């Protein structure tokens, strides 16, 4: 947990133990940590440089822990300052890049990444850089990246990045398919399935996409597409597949179940009716004794279900599907 301020596992264990006992000699601390005395002393010296531990002035060879509230607070403040400086530098560089690339050349809109490790690294980078949403089409034949080693997906989801994923039916039959699906649903990701997806694809924040460039048997390569008409086409492809796919959930026994009948529940229908009557989101929330966010989330869910981008289109689809009367 303290790795963010520069402590490795041994140093963190030494500090935690020292805090628990208050003070200890190297031999005693080494015994508690089950480490050689030389390694324990090295960790203590590192803690001393960080201001987290000090040698006792009253007794030679005895080490005491610095108060966590003061010592760790100082390190965290320093870390925050360094992060703020890094964010400022990144913003300045981004502004400089945008100024230079106000009218990017065609060859700057795409980049080719070659090699399994390079493709995997770029894939993780793309997700770690996402701030709002990641959309993905997943096939049953991963080449450079698999769901099992995709730690960046967990980290992005933990930051609040939304995921919409369409997987091929073959993925569920793979040895780790159900495990990966269970983990994804546990992170509140939206997962749907189709018999086959047209291609592997991942799109971050609708501004950056990645698609495979080579077929099976060749060296892994991928095309990274920046904001352009091509990116819009890829996003349109994802939305088309998403609309036709069926949502997935896990049954009590752990088996994947496709939800064949998908539609609005009674509360959704009440919200639609009131909105079509001209009421605002806030008025609908008050009328139905719901939270404003709940109403907006349900409306967004209905728009995703019907594959529309505006509320006007949603009203038309709701009438066409018989959800509401004229």
């Amino acid at each position: 947990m303290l790795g963010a301020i520069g402590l490795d596992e041994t140093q963190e264990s030494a500090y935690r133990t020292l805090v628990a006992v208050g003070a200890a000699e190297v031999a005693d601390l080494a015994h508690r940590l089950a480490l050689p005395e030389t390694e324990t002393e090295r960790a203590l010296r590192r803690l001393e440089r960080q201001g987290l531990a000090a040698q006792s002035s009253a007794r030679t060879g005895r080490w005491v822990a610095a108060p966590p509230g003061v010592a760790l607070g100082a390190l965290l403040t320093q870390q925050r300052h360094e992060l703020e400086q890094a964010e400022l530098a990144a913003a300045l560089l981004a502004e400089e890049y945008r100024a230079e690339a106000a009218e990017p050349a065609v060859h700057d809109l795409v980049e080719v990444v070659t090699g399994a490790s390079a493709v995997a690294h770029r894939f993780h980078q793309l997700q770690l850089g996402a701030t709002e949403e990641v959309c993905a089409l997943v096939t049953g034949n991963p080449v450079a990246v698999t769901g099992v080693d995709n730690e960046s997906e967990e980290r992005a989801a933990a930051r609040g990045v939304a995921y919409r994923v369409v997987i091929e039916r073959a993925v569920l039959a793979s040895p780790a398919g159900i495990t990966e699906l269970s983990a994804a649903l546990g992170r509140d990701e939206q997962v749907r399935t189709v018999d086959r997806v047209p291609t592997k694809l991942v799109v971050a924040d609708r501004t950056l996409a990645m698609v495979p460039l080579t077929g099976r048997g060749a060296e892994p390569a991928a095309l990274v597409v920046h904001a352009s008409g091509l990116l819009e086409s890829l996003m349109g492809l994802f939305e088309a597949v998403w609309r036709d796919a069926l949502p997935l959930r896990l049954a009590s026994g752990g088996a994947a179940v496709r939800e064949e009948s998908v539609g609005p529940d009674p509360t959704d229908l009440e919200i639609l009716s009131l909105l079509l009557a001209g009421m605002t989101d806030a008025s609908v929330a008050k009328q139905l004794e719901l939270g404003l966010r709940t109403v907006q989330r349900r409306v967004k869910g209905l728009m995703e279900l019907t594959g529309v981008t505006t509320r006007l289109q949603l009203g038309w689809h709701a009438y066409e599907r018989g959800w509401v009367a004229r």
Side-chain angles (χ1 to χ4, degrees):
M1 293 177 63
L2 299 181
I5 59 174
L7 298 186
D8 61 25
E9 187 176 344
T10 300
Q11 293 156 6
E12 180 174 347
S13 296
Y15 181 65
R16 287 179 177 276
T17 303
L18 205 57
V19 168
V21 300
E25 296 181 355
V26 174
D28 180 32
L29 193 59
H31 176 71
R32 292 174 180 271
L33 296 173
L35 292 173
E37 291 187 20
T38 54
E39 188 174 347
T40 301
E41 185 170 5
R42 194 181 306 119
L44 288 169
R45 294 293 181 185
R46 169 65 176 168
L47 293 175
E48 184 179 32
R49 288 193 295 272
Q50 293 277 63
L52 296 173
Q55 298 186 61
S56 173
S57 58
R59 185 172 175 180
T60 305
R62 194 168 179 81
W63 289 79
V64 296
V70 177
L72 292 178
L75 289 174
L76 289 171
T77 299
Q78 179 183 353
Q79 194 80 357
R80 290 193 192 97
H81 175 71
E82 292 175 355
L83 284 173
E84 289 171 358
Q85 294 300 310
E87 288 178 351
L88 177 60
L92 292 175
L93 286 172
E95 186 63 32
E96 183 179 343
Y97 178 81
R98 283 194 294 270
E100 291 293 329
E103 295 182 1
V106 173
H107 58 77
D108 292 330
L109 296 177
V110 296
E111 59 179 291
V112 178
V113 183
T114 306
S117 61
V119 170
H121 180 70
R122 197 72 173 90
F123 178 76
H124 297 321
Q125 260 188 340
L126 187 143
Q127 293 186 84
L128 290 175
T131 58
E132 296 180 3
E133 182 184 54
V134 172
C135 301
L137 301 179
V138 180
T139 69
N141 299 306
V143 177
V145 180
T146 66
V148 175
D149 59 13
N150 189 14
E151 296 180 2
S152 53
E153 182 175 341
E154 297 180 3
R155 293 165 61 183
R159 289 188 288 106
V161 177
Y163 271 78
R164 287 193 291 151
V165 182
V166 181
I167 63 176
E168 283 187 344
R169 186 191 296 269
V171 174
L172 299 176
S174 65
I178 297 300
T179 301
E180 294 176 25
L181 174 62
S182 178
L185 294 176
R187 294 189 293 267
D188 293 328
E189 296 181 14
Q190 297 183 62
V191 184
R192 296 186 178 185
T193 182
V194 292
D195 290 336
R196 288 187 63 82
V197 298
T199 181
K200 301 171 188 173
L201 171 68
V202 59
V203 184
D205 294 336
R206 297 176 179 264
T207 60
L208 199 62
M210 189 172 180
V211 291
L213 196 57
T214 52
R216 187 183 304 177
E219 181 182 18
L223 196 66
V224 178
V225 183
H226 297 259
S228 61
L230 176 57
L231 177 62
E232 292 176 6
S233 298
L234 291 173
M235 195 63 212
L237 171 64
F238 172 82
E239 294 293 359
V241 176
W242 176 262
R243 282 195 298 271
D244 294 336
L246 293 173
L248 276 173
R249 61 181 176 83
L250 285 179
S252 56
V257 178
R258 302 208 310 180
E259 297 182 358
E260 300 292 341
S261 57
V262 180
D265 61 22
T267 301
D268 289 331
L269 295 178
E270 286 186 287
I271 291 173
L272 272 175
S273 298
L274 293 176
L275 288 176
L276 289 173
M279 294 179 67
T280 64
D281 289 358
S283 299
V284 172
K286 184 177 181 181
Q287 177 72 22
L288 300 181
E289 297 183 351
L290 298 173
L292 177 59
R293 282 182 172 272
T294 300
V295 171
Q296 294 171 338
R297 176 174 54 79
R298 282 178 172 267
V299 172
K300 181 180 179 182
L302 290 171
M303 292 174 68
E304 291 176 352
L305 177 63
T306 53
V308 301
T309 56
T310 68
R311 293 193 174 197
L312 180 61
Q313 292 173 313
L314 175 61
W316 171 257
H317 277 267
Y319 173 70
E320 283 292 300
R321 297 186 182 200
W323 293 348
V324 292
R326 185 184 295 274

